[in-house]
Every structure is written in C-alpha cells, then in structure tokens.
Amino acid sequence: GAVVSQHPSRVICKSGTSVKIECRSLDFQATTMFWYRQFPKQSLMLMATSNEGSKATYEQGVEKDKFLINHASLTLSTLTVTSAHPEDSSFYICSAGDGWDIQYFGAGTRLSVL
Amino acid sequence: SQQGEEDPQALSIQEGENATMNCSYKTSINNLQWYRQNSGRGLVHLILIRSNEREKHSGRLRVTLDTSKKSSSLLITASRAADTASYFCATDAGNDMRFGAGTRLTVKP
C-alpha cells in the first residue's frame, strides 16, 4: 500500500530554534497533504492543508508565520515550526491522499521544546 | 474544527469480548473512516465506508453508517489484548478530514 514517510520521528530543541518536519509520499504523488497536531489525550487537530505549488490553507487559529508550510513537489511537504517555544511541544502528523479517498499517515513527529 | 464526537471516551473489556465504539458528526460527508493509533505512533487506516454504504466488514471489524442520524459505529469482535489502542473516526467532506476525539480501548488479557 501507499506509504508516507515523516521525518524526524522525534526532536528535542531549545526554545527559540526552528524545527523542520518533512513529509514524503514514497510511491504516489500527492497534490494535497495535511498537517495535524495532537495535544496529549486529545484528538488530532487539522492545522493546515498543503497544496503543491501554492500557498497552504491554514485552519482558524493557526499562525501562518509560526508554522511555515512548503509543498514544493508532488512528493514532499515540509512544516517548519519557527522560533519554537515550550507550548509548541506536541505530536505532529502529516497525511497524504493517494487520490482514492484513503489518507495515508506519517508516523508522526514528537516535538519537545525545552 | 473538530467534526466528530466519539463515545465512549474510554472502554475497558476482557479479551474475547466485543467492543463497540460510536462516532457522530455534524455535516454531510463523502465517506467516514476509522483509524487506529497505538500510543505515540501514527494513525493506521482500518476501514472506509462511503456515504451510500450502510455496513462494511473487514476481518473482525464491522462498521455501520447511518447518514440520517449522522453516526457510525465500529465493532471489534472477539477482542485481543493487541487491540488495545485509541480508535478514531474521521469524516471526509471533500476538502479535508476531521477527526473525532477518539476512544481509548483497553483489552485485558
């Protein structure tokens, strides 16, 4: 089946640094990828829709300048958490659709900001 | 925003018993999907049911969909300890997916 690779799986960083998370579709092209955030014991929350070749669509309440999304190719979307702070610590997950309704999810990235 | 609501939030059963989880949503959908998430891991797709379908089976999983009530249920029969995980429903309304809060299932050996 289709595979989505997300990297890194875990990152620990100091407050004020920027962290880039990559999401790759390995055996299919994805014009649209989604980025989710999960707070402990809560459901996934859609952060933004990443569109290849155009600007991402952000959900209400998500800071565009804080969470930069780049979808430069049909197989890669990146999420950059800029000037990370402890409140940005969370589990981030990307997903991509293969064009047949099913979403394939990355393994997630656990971000811990000290 | 969150589309679905799931109940119960937590469910604890003995191995061999059946587990039923429910999901309700608010808007019209194209399909509804159930996912499983082991602690700290990514979501794994379990089953997709389209808006024109009423019931679907996959192994020990049975999913029903009632679009008039905007609800779905996931039944896991003959549960195993390895089924312990969080289960999420997700609604696909076309442009994005919305997840429910999830049900934490614990299957005791």
Side-chain angles (χ1 to χ4, degrees), chain A residues 64-112:
Chain A
K64 300 178 182 180
D65 296 327
K66 176 72 172 177
F67 299 99
L68 299 178
I69 292 174
N70 184 283
H71 195 152
S73 76
L74 287 171
T75 59
L76 174 64
S77 175
T78 61
L79 168 68
T80 302
V81 183
T82 62
S83 187
H85 288 92
E87 58 264 30
D88 298 324
S89 298
S90 193
F91 191 55
Y92 294 87
I93 299 177
C94 70
S95 75
D98 64 355
W100 296 95
D101 292 338
I102 295 175
Q103 287 287 313
Y104 295 91
F105 287 81
T109 298
R110 176 74 60 190
L111 172 62
S112 299

Side-chain angles (χ1 to χ4, degrees), chain A residues 31 48-58 64 69-71:
Chain A
T31 57
T49 301
S50 174
N51 304 299
E52 187 270 334
S54 65
K55 292 182 179 180
T57 303
Y58 289 82
K64 300 178 182 180
I69 292 174
N70 184 283
H71 195 152

